[in-house]
């Protein structure tokens, strides 16, 4: 273990001007980075956040690496990623570097409400064991959830995605894209889900088979059946 923090770590409203390394750090209590500005690269590679992490209004101006991190309850409310945000390497990088076990995991609920990802955001193979909320998030470049596992409800309501949103082979319980605006492609090739909703979504192109969504739309659920809304969603395809 590189560093161990037995009590709360508070770097709230801090300006960090150099590269920062928390690789293999263990945070036994809350790690608070609220309103912090990080001007250069930061790495939390293989860090363990045992009691939660808070990145409210945090600004990452360069690469932010969360490779292999383990999170309990965590919040990235209003966070700004001006550089790449890596919660895993993409498939091609992992292959070329022959890297394994680089995906983060979220053991408890996580929120990225109002988060801003100006560059690539990679969540490939990441496991979300509880609710994951990306409501109103902005994705300026590629966003990848390839092979990600969402074991709780996933909310992508009101997101804006300027390029491709890829969730190839991802698995969901309930996932909502209500009012989402994805200007290029939403790729759900081979993704599986129990329930899915696209109510009033604006999608330029969606890649999904009808058999994937047959009787899976939220408004087809017998408990809350609303066929007119379901019809509107089928027209997207």
């Amino acid at each position: 273990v590189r560093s161990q923090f037995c009590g709360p770590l508070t770097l709230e409203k801090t300006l960090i001007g150099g590269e920062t390394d928390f690789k293999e750090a263990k945070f036994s209590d809350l790690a608070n980075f609220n309103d912090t500005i990080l001007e250069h690269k930061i790495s939390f590679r293989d860090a363990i956040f045992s009691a939660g992490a808070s990145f409210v209004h945090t600004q990452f101006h360069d690469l932010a690496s969360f490779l292999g991190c383990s999170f309990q309850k965590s919040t990235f409310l209003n966070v700004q990623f001006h550089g790449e945000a890596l919660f895993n390497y993409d498939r091609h990088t992992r292959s070329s570097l022959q890297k394994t076990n680089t995906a983060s995991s979220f053991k408890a609920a996580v929120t990225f409400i109002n988060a801003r990802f100006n560059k690539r955001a990679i969540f490939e193979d990441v496991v979300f064991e509880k609710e994951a909320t990306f409501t109103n998030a902005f994705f300026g470049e590629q966003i990848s959830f390839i092979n990600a596992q969402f074991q709780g409800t996933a909310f992508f309501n009101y997101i804006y995605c300027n390029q491709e949103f890829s969730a190839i082979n991802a698995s969901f319980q309930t996932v909502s894209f209500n009012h989402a605006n994805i200007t290029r492609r939403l790729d759900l090739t081979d993704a599986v889900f129990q329930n899915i909703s696209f109510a009033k979504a604006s999608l330029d192109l969606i890649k999904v088979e009808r058999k994937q969504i047959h009787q899976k739309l939220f408004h087809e659920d017998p408990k809350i059946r609303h066929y007119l809304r379901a019809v509107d969603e089928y027209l997207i395809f």
Side-chain angles (χ1 to χ4, degrees):
V1 176
R2 185 75 60 87
S3 301
Q4 185 163 352
F5 301 90
C6 296
L9 174 66
T10 300
L11 292 174
E12 191 169 4
K13 297 182 179 178
T14 302
L15 174 63
I16 300 177
E19 290 192 17
T20 310
D21 187 352
F22 284 101
K23 292 178 182 176
E24 301 178 9
K26 290 187 69 175
F27 300 92
S28 299
D29 210 324
L30 177 67
N32 181 353
F33 291 85
N34 295 347
D35 293 295
T36 294
I37 298 174
L38 298 119
E39 294 187 333
H40 293 283
K41 297 178 182 178
I42 184 168
S43 175
F44 289 94
R45 176 69 185 267
D46 295 322
I48 299 174
F49 296 89
S50 298
S54 185
F55 293 91
V56 177
H57 289 286
T58 305
Q59 296 184 43
F60 297 91
H61 286 272
D62 206 329
L63 173 68
S65 172
F66 293 91
L67 302 172
C69 286
S70 175
F71 293 92
Q72 290 297 325
K73 187 174 182 180
S74 50
T75 177
F76 292 81
L77 176 69
N78 293 318
V79 69
Q80 294 184 34
F81 293 99
H82 297 284
E84 290 188 334
L86 300 181
F87 291 82
N88 196 2
Y89 286 123
D90 63 69
R91 293 175 296 172
H92 305 295
T93 302
R94 294 201 304 275
S95 177
S96 64
L97 296 178
Q98 298 183 335
K99 294 288 186 179
T100 58
N101 302 320
T102 54
S104 291
S105 61
F106 293 89
K107 309 294 186 182
V110 58
T111 178
F112 286 90
I113 294 173
N114 298 330
R116 187 175 184 90
F117 299 88
N118 289 331
K119 300 293 184 181
R120 289 195 318 157
I122 307 299
F123 289 86
E124 295 183 9
D125 295 287
V126 169
V127 177
F128 300 89
E129 295 186 15
K130 304 293 183 181
E131 184 176 286
T133 306
F134 288 82
T135 298
N136 206 43
F138 170 89
F139 301 103
E141 293 188 359
Q142 176 194 11
I143 172 66
S144 179
F145 289 97
I146 293 173
N147 293 319
Q149 297 180 43
F150 293 87
Q151 298 172 2
T153 302
F155 294 100
F156 294 99
N157 300 333
Y158 294 95
I159 65 168
Y160 178 85
C161 185
N162 194 44
Q163 294 191 18
E164 182 176 37
F165 185 114
S166 182
I168 296 170
N169 203 43
S171 61
F172 300 91
Q173 292 296 316
T174 296
V175 57
S176 176
F177 290 95
N178 294 347
H179 299 273
N181 185 349
I182 300 175
T183 62
R184 294 200 180 177
R185 180 170 63 176
L186 171 59
D187 194 341
L188 295 172
T189 302
D190 295 326
V192 295
F193 21 75
Q194 297 299 313
N195 296 101
I196 190 166
S197 179
F198 300 97
K200 298 186 179 179
S202 176
L203 307 174
D204 184 58
L205 176 65
I206 182 170
K207 193 169 183 181
V208 66
E209 297 290 334
R210 282 194 174 245
K211 63 182 180 181
Q212 288 175 257
I213 64 170
H214 181 60
Q215 294 185 337
K216 299 291 181 64
L217 289 179
F218 181 76
H219 290 110
E220 289 182 299
D221 189 319
K223 297 178 182 177
I224 52 156
R225 189 170 292 158
H226 197 309
Y227 283 133
L228 290 179
R229 291 182 182 177
V231 168
D232 286 340
E233 292 181 68
Y234 273 116
L235 290 175
I236 294 174
F237 312 103

